[in-house]
Amino acid sequence: MSTIDRETVRERARHLNARVADYRLALLGGDPATIESARAEGQRAAHALFDAQLEAGFITAEQHRRRTADLSSEYPGTEAQA
């Protein structure tokens, strides 16, 4: 039985949406350090959402692996956290 419920997954998705908005705002500011920090926060939020989806049974292990790999490939130099 999963320890993650649907509301937790929704909260992680909302958190990811907020981090994406922060990243977009950082892109407008043009400060490389701020942009990198916002991008890293977004990646952490995405990984947390993928992990919650997997644990709740909303996605398969293969879907989790693929999403994680796809996220990492969008940002060269990062490693997938499978």
Side-chain angles (χ1 to χ4, degrees), residues 19 23 34-47 75:
R19 298 299 68 82
Y23 178 64
T34 302
I35 292 169
E36 176 57 27
S37 176
R39 184 202 58 78
E41 286 295 321
Q43 275 196 304
R44 281 190 285 278
H47 285 290
Y75 304 103

Side-chain angles (χ1 to χ4, degrees), residues 7 9 11 25 40-41 52 54 61:
E7 187 54 38
V9 174
E11 180 57 36
L25 287 173
E41 286 295 321
L54 178 64

